[in-house]
Amino acid sequence: MDTLILNTPEVQHSHATHWEFQVAGPDMNFVSLQTSDSILLARQVLQLSGHKPVNEYLVFQWPQGGELKELQLDESVDLKAQGVERFIVFHSDRSYRLLLEDDRIEWGTSQISGRSLKLLAGVDPEEFAVLLDLTHSADREIGNNEFADLSGDGVERFKIEQKAIRVEVNDMPVIIDKKEATGLHIKELAIAQHVPIQVGFQLIMERPGQPSKVVGDDEKIHVKTGMKFRAIPADDNS
């Protein structure tokens, strides 16, 4: 993430503390900026991030752990508050409402990507799916780089679901049903999916660039798609 040190046009401080904040567009790829002023107006966020003329843009504040909030151009934000303040900027003259897991969200443009929806929900975009809730037909998945249109009649509803986690055990594909799993559970799932091992085998997690790790039956690990395991007889030291 890039960091730029800037001064607001109104005040120059030769020995001032620099305050960090982050700015992104609708893609939610944030860039870190710094300013010598601890209080920023929304219009200054636009000026410092190069979005001009400011009256053609909307600014939303996205507090850590909080909800998006649209700011008026002359509304101020205290950068001394706990955590780094985040702002999302839209080249737009209106906002659109959506429901994400029953939480009402205001968004500054008529298009929103699957990735942005997942980030707003606070989940890993690679491990979760976002579905557009369609009343009269099957729900439609919105991929990370796909967009949903918010400009139609009514309020669009979205829900988040965990994707199937796909790993390999002894070079055979195995679907894991939860992202926190014990070694025993992984072996049991592998056996149920026709991997020719026994429950008493030793499970070994392969780690690229690091030594392999034995996963105990009662040991819980965080499982991600693409992980590879070996299961061997307990007395096999190969």
Side-chain angles (χ1 to χ4, degrees), residues 8-182:
T8 57
E10 288 80 359
V11 182
Q12 301 289 329
H13 297 297
S14 58
H15 302 289
T17 298
H18 288 105
W19 303 94
E20 182 179 358
F21 63 100
Q22 296 179 347
V23 180
D27 58 6
M28 297 182 72
N29 290 323
F30 286 90
V31 174
S32 289
L33 304 175
Q34 292 186 354
T35 177
S36 57
D37 284 349
S38 62
I39 304 293
L40 277 188
L41 300 179
R43 67 172 62 249
Q44 291 176 298
V45 172
L46 292 169
Q47 291 166 347
L48 293 173
S49 57
H51 294 90
K52 300 176 184 178
V54 297
N55 58 4
E56 293 185 2
Y57 290 86
L58 302 179
V59 180
F60 284 70
Q61 182 185 11
W62 189 28
Q64 301 288 342
E67 298 179 355
L68 280 178
K69 174 190 174 185
E70 184 176 355
L71 300 176
Q72 300 302 311
L73 288 179
D74 291 319
E75 192 169 349
S76 63
V77 175
D78 186 354
L79 300 184
K80 299 192 300 294
Q82 186 175 4
V84 176
E85 292 293 347
R86 299 175 297 181
F87 303 93
I88 303 177
V89 173
F90 301 90
H91 192 195
S92 176
D93 63 353
R94 70 196 67 183
S95 62
Y96 297 81
R97 181 171 297 171
L98 63 99
L99 289 174
L100 180 59
E101 291 290 321
D102 295 325
D103 290 332
R104 188 172 66 180
I105 293 175
E106 298 290 333
W107 188 247
T109 182
S110 63
Q111 302 286 313
I112 187 167
S113 71
R115 178 179 179 272
S116 292
L117 285 163
K118 295 173 193 178
L119 293 176
L120 289 172
V123 301
D124 186 333
E126 301 305 321
E127 294 190 10
F128 287 80
V130 61
L131 302 176
L132 174 60
D133 189 351
L134 299 174
T135 304
H136 301 296
S137 59
D139 295 344
R140 179 167 68 89
E141 181 174 355
I142 309 297
N144 284 342
N145 297 317
E146 296 177 341
F147 290 84
D149 186 1
L150 307 178
S151 63
D153 294 336
V155 177
E156 300 293 2
R157 298 173 179 265
F158 301 89
K159 54 188 178 182
I160 301 292
E161 292 184 356
Q162 186 168 358
K163 290 182 179 179
I165 302 171
R166 302 178 185 274
V167 304
E168 289 185 6
V169 177
N170 291 359
D171 298 321
M172 295 183 66
V174 175
I175 295 177
I176 308 297
D177 57 356
K178 51 188 175 183
K179 63 182 180 180
E180 301 288 337
T182 64

